[in-house]
């Protein structure tokens, strides 16, 4: 009885401590979201999306038009390069390289690359694409983002494809299908929703990044649709506006933060819903 | 009347050894496979029936360290040769697995898969061949109104008949069946057996089965295996009525071990 009582006490303690921690984490998250929502809505207006930045304290309603466009294009460029490369790389690891020790090593390496702090990638790209080219530029920014997204996409693709049972591939081989057709028409088809979900989550991750852009494409007030110079960035703008002493800029930063949060949230929710659908069906 | 000539060897297995890595799984197997006949492979679990069956379409090549020794002669040359074109071979020797393996696509596309591999893309030709294969596999009536639906929505038995139809659609010369009716209900099994009885006039069938009655019912020849070796190969009637080997007699009468 005594033993049982102690066990029940321990159980109770463990349960309450972990619940408390979970509640604390959630509380902090909601405080952040609440703050972003409250502060962000204050200066949230259409000007945010359609106006160029304005100097503070003149009563002008400035916006971050270029920053939205720039951030979007940087993310898009990184996605366009990183996703196909990542899917092909992941496919190679899952299929052609599945029996090779070297490939298993590469896949472990990708796991490590996923957890490299993004600022390290930013400084690396600074060294290879900013210094030699003589200044901040959009190519460097999208390269940094592509480097971040690449290992994530490789690993997701590899994992999703590995989950496709071999009997399915065998059935296609038994019909006389060559390996590349087995991959494209059977394995990809069977794992497409998982790979797609992983890609969405990976895009969500780079869309809200600041650190890798600080040293690469940095920021600019105007977007001249050229990647050969500094490119306006929403996240870097938020960083700069929030650190400025001007009331207007700070509240604009809140509004922009709200938009980024919502966008990333939407991407994540779509991703999760897709996961649910896939597991459910 | 049975109009088949049961004397032509379509495939001849000569002194076949097979290794999974260092494990010898088949040792010194030699037997003929007669054209337009059904050959049953029987034997206790783990004796190497699946292993032998998968030699005929070189399925083992998908995994590293698997190794063949000896010969399987098909059309005058050894299909175990390194130079054998596996894609061609698998087009001529089809296989149906124990568990149904519907591809993640529509019922129609499942059947058309192998046809499209052979560059058949004419819509009406495809539709005709799909219909014919589904009819042969006794599935047409059940699916004709939902060919566009995903094959995953079929029942297990229907999925297995789908796998059979998919294999038939490409007109193979040989069909390998690995306990392909073991997951089916008696009605579906009967349909498949009827199908095989018709098919044997056009194709050659090698079927692994655990069901002695089935082997006796459907096959012309039977091979009994035990621990990687061929114990006895003969006409089915001989194997089941007056086998040469004591072990065969015990096995087919269910007094084994
Ligand atoms: N992939 C593999 N790697 C190593 N050994 C294997 C492999 N597959 C089968 N074996 C071994 O080879 C032998 C023959 O197996 P096989 O699957 O051919 O038997 P089977 O006669 O088909 O049995 P069952 O009736 O249970 O299907 C067994 O001893 C098995 O353990
Ligand atoms: Mg088997």
């Amino acid at each position: 009885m005594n033993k049982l009582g102690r066990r029940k006490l321990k159980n109770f303690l463990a349960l309450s401590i972990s619940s408390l921690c979970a509640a604390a984490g959630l509380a902090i998250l909601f405080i952040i979201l609440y703050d972003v929502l409250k502060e962000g809505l204050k200066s949230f207006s259409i000007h945010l999306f359609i106006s160029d930045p304005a100097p503070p304290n003149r009563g002008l309603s400035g916006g971050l038009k270029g920053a939205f466009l720039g951030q979007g294009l940087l993310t898009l460029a990184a996605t366009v390069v990183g996703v196909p490369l990542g899917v092909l790389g992941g496919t190679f690891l899952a299929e052609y390289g599945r029996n090779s020790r070297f490939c298993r090593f590469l896949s472990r390496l990708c796991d490590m690359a996923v957890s490299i702090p993004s600022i390290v990638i930013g400084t690396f790209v600074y060294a290879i694409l900013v210094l030699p080219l003589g200044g901040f530029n959009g190519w460097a920014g999208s390269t940094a983002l592509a480097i971040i997204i690449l290992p994530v996409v490789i690993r997701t693709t590899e994992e999703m494809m590995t989950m496709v049972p071999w009997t399915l591939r065998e059935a296609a081989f038994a019909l006389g299908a060559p390996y590349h057709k087995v991959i494209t028409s059977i394995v990809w088809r069977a794992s497409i929703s998982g790979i797609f979900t992983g890609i969405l989550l990976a895009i969500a991750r780079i869309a809200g990044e600041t650190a890798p852009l600080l040293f690469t494409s940095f920021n600019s007030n105007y977007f001249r649709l050229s990647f050969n110079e500094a490119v306006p960035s929403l996240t870097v703008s938020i960083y700069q506006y929030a650190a400025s002493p001007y009331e207007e800029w700070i509240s604009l930063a809140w509004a922009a933060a709200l938009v980024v949060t919502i966008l990333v949230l939407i991407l994540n929710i779509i991703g999760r819903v897709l996961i649910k659908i896939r597991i459910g069906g | 009347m049975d109009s088949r000539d049961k004397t032509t060897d379509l495939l001849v297995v000569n002194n076949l050894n097979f290794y999974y890595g260092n494990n010898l799984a088949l040792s010194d197997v030699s037997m003929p496979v007669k054209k337009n006949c059904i050959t049953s492979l029987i034997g206790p679990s783990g004796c190497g029936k699946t292993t032998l069956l998968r030699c005929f379409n070189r399925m083992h090549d998908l995994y590293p360290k698997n190794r063949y020794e000896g010969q399987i002669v098909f059309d005058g040359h050894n299909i175990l040769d390194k130079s054998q074109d596996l894609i061609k071979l698998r087009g001529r020797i089809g296989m149906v697995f124990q568990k149904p393996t519907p591809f993640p696509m529509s019922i129609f596309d499942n059947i058309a898969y192998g046809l499209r591999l052979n560059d058949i893309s004419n819509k009406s030709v495809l539709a005709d061949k799909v219909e014919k294969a589904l009819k042969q596999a006794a599935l047409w009536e059940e699916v004709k109104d939902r060919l566009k639906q995903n094959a995953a929505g079929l029942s297990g038995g229907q999925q297995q008949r789908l796998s059979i139809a998919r294999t038939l659609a490409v007109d193979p010369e040989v069909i390998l069946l690995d306990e392909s009716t073991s997951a089916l209900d008696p009605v579906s099994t009967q349909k498949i057996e009827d199908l095989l009885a018709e098919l044997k006039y056009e194709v050659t069938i090698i079927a692994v089965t655990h069901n002695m009655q089935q082997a006796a019912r459907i096959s012309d020849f039977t091979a009994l295996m035990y621990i990687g070796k061929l114990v006895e190969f003969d006409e089915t009637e001989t194997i089941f009525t007056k086998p040469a080997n004591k072990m065969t007699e015990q096995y087919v009468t269910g007094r084994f071990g």
Side-chain angles (χ1 to χ4, degrees):
Chain A
M1 210 50 215
N2 199 1
K3 235 182 190 168
L4 184 67
R6 237 186 333 206
R7 234 192 280 167
K8 275 189 170 165
L9 182 68
K10 270 191 204 161
N11 188 35
F12 174 75
L13 278 178
L15 186 68
S16 20
I17 291 174
S18 50
S19 310
L20 220 65
C21 292
L26 278 177
I28 292 173
L29 181 70
F30 276 108
I31 290 171
I32 294 175
L33 282 178
Y34 173 75
D35 252 19
V36 170
L37 201 66
K38 194 181 80 181
E39 299 291 334
L41 282 177
K42 273 187 198 161
S43 59
F44 184 85
S45 78
I46 191 73
H47 285 293
L48 185 62
F49 303 101
I50 61 166
S51 298
D52 284 321
N57 298 331
R58 303 251 178 91
L60 300 168
S61 38
L64 290 165
K65 178 177 99 185
F68 277 104
L69 196 61
Q71 188 90 17
L73 285 180
L74 286 172
T75 307
L76 184 70
T79 306
V80 165
V81 175
V83 166
L85 273 182
V87 168
L88 290 179
T91 301
F92 182 83
L93 292 183
E95 301 292 331
Y96 298 101
R98 66 184 191 280
N99 296 313
S100 133
R101 279 183 143 198
F102 179 65
C103 286
R104 239 174 300 152
F105 169 73
L106 283 183
S107 142
R108 292 287 86 74
L109 213 61
C110 283
D111 279 341
M112 277 168 53
V114 168
S115 45
I116 294 177
S118 52
I119 192 136
V120 174
I121 291 168
T123 43
F124 168 71
V125 174
Y126 177 78
I128 60 163
L129 279 179
V130 176
L131 282 184
L133 295 181
F136 297 125
N137 61 81
W139 307 113
S142 43
T143 303
L145 294 182
I147 294 178
I148 295 174
I149 204 175
L150 189 63
V152 184
V153 176
I154 290 180
R155 286 293 289 143
T156 323
T157 306
E158 185 191 354
E159 243 160 60
M160 292 301 144
M161 291 180 71
T162 315
M163 269 161 49
V164 176
W166 261 89
T167 48
L168 206 59
R169 291 181 182 80
E170 285 188 354
F173 279 119
L175 286 171
Y179 203 172
H180 69 271
K181 284 241 173 87
V182 175
I183 292 172
T184 51
S185 63
I186 304 291
V187 189
W188 276 356
R189 207 184 270 250
S191 52
I192 183 90
S193 66
I195 294 175
F196 184 69
T197 305
I199 290 172
L200 268 191
L201 296 179
I203 295 175
R205 209 189 130 183
I206 57 166
E209 279 282 5
T210 318
L213 300 180
L214 272 176
F215 298 119
T216 52
S217 54
F218 192 56
N219 197 5
S220 155
N221 272 338
Y222 304 100
F223 191 22
R224 279 180 283 267
L225 279 174
S226 161
F227 268 22
N228 295 328
E229 53 194 272
V231 172
S233 149
L234 195 60
T235 49
V236 179
S237 295
I238 293 173
Y239 173 72
Q240 288 177 328
Y241 274 36
S244 78
Y246 313 112
E247 197 67 35
E248 269 175 284
W249 278 15
I250 293 177
S251 74
L252 208 57
W254 278 112
L258 176 65
V259 175
V260 176
T261 310
I262 289 175
L263 285 181
V264 170
L265 206 64
I266 289 176
L267 277 180
N268 269 291
I269 289 173
I270 296 177
R272 304 290 157 190
V273 167
L274 282 179
I275 292 179
K276 268 246 177 68
I277 292 174
R278 195 158 46 85
I279 292 172
Chain B
M1 241 359 268
D2 198 337
S3 59
R4 294 169 300 147
D5 154 40
K6 298 187 190 174
T7 56
T8 316
D9 291 343
L10 185 65
L11 286 150
V12 182
V13 183
N14 284 330
N15 308 104
L16 176 67
N17 293 336
F18 179 81
Y19 299 83
Y20 288 112
N22 291 323
N23 294 340
L24 181 65
L26 292 178
S27 106
D28 201 24
V29 173
S30 298
M31 62 181 266
V33 176
K34 303 286 183 188
K35 192 172 177 179
N36 290 351
C37 288
I38 301 180
T39 303
S40 291
L41 298 179
I42 60 171
S45 184
C47 70
K49 304 179 293 293
T50 300
T51 305
L52 176 58
L53 201 68
R54 289 163 67 94
C55 289
F56 289 112
N57 65 348
R58 297 271 301 268
M59 219 41 166
H60 295 301
D61 287 49
L62 294 179
Y63 307 94
K65 301 212 176 92
N66 288 349
R67 194 153 52 83
Y68 314 85
E69 285 170 3
Q71 291 184 319
I72 297 178
V73 180
F74 180 40
D75 238 8
H77 51 242
N78 180 13
I79 58 170
L80 300 181
D81 259 357
K82 288 262 182 293
S83 62
Q84 173 67 45
D85 181 342
L86 296 185
I87 290 171
K88 268 204 192 119
L89 177 71
R90 290 172 186 155
R92 298 177 67 188
I93 304 187
M95 179 173 233
V96 181
F97 297 81
Q98 180 172 5
K99 295 221 181 78
T101 48
F103 295 148
M105 49 185 84
S106 73
I107 294 170
F108 185 92
D109 289 341
N110 260 276
I111 313 295
Y113 188 82
L115 298 167
R116 292 192 172 123
L117 284 177
N118 296 325
D119 290 326
I120 300 175
S121 55
N122 182 303
K123 277 218 166 89
S124 69
V125 175
L126 273 182
D128 284 349
K129 293 206 175 224
V130 168
E131 180 175 342
K132 182 175 165 230
L134 283 169
K135 279 184 173 155
Q136 278 185 316
L139 188 58
W140 175 250
E141 287 304 320
E142 288 152 75
V143 301
K144 65 178 180 212
D145 299 322
R146 46 169 172 155
L147 294 174
K148 292 267 173 302
Q149 286 176 25
N150 197 300
L154 297 172
S155 77
Q158 290 172 328
Q159 288 181 2
Q160 186 64 311
R161 278 177 281 150
L162 178 87
S163 308
I164 293 174
R166 196 171 58 193
T167 305
L168 290 176
V170 291
D171 286 328
E173 292 160 58
V174 182
I175 297 179
L176 311 170
L177 300 159
D178 194 352
E179 297 179 51
S180 301
T181 58
S182 66
L184 299 184
D185 65 297
V187 177
S188 303
T189 303
Q190 186 58 52
K191 284 181 182 168
I192 302 294
E193 287 186 15
D194 293 346
L195 162 69
L196 297 182
E198 270 177 45
L199 275 177
K200 66 188 175 190
Y201 293 93
E202 293 155 41
V203 299
T204 303
I205 296 164
I206 309 176
V208 169
T209 177
H210 273 292
N211 181 331
M212 290 306 117
Q213 286 84 18
Q214 186 173 58
R217 262 195 316 266
I218 65 170
S219 63
D220 305 292
F221 293 88
T222 298
L224 175 77
M225 300 182 63
Y226 184 63
I227 325 186
K229 287 196 160 66
L230 182 69
V231 177
E232 190 171 351
F233 171 88
D234 213 321
E235 292 195 24
T236 298
E237 196 172 323
T238 315
I239 293 279
F240 281 88
T241 54
K242 39 184 192 308
N245 192 297
K246 190 94 186 122
M247 189 190 279
T248 311
E249 187 185 334
Q250 287 178 339
Y251 190 77
V252 298
T253 53
R255 285 182 286 117
F256 189 76

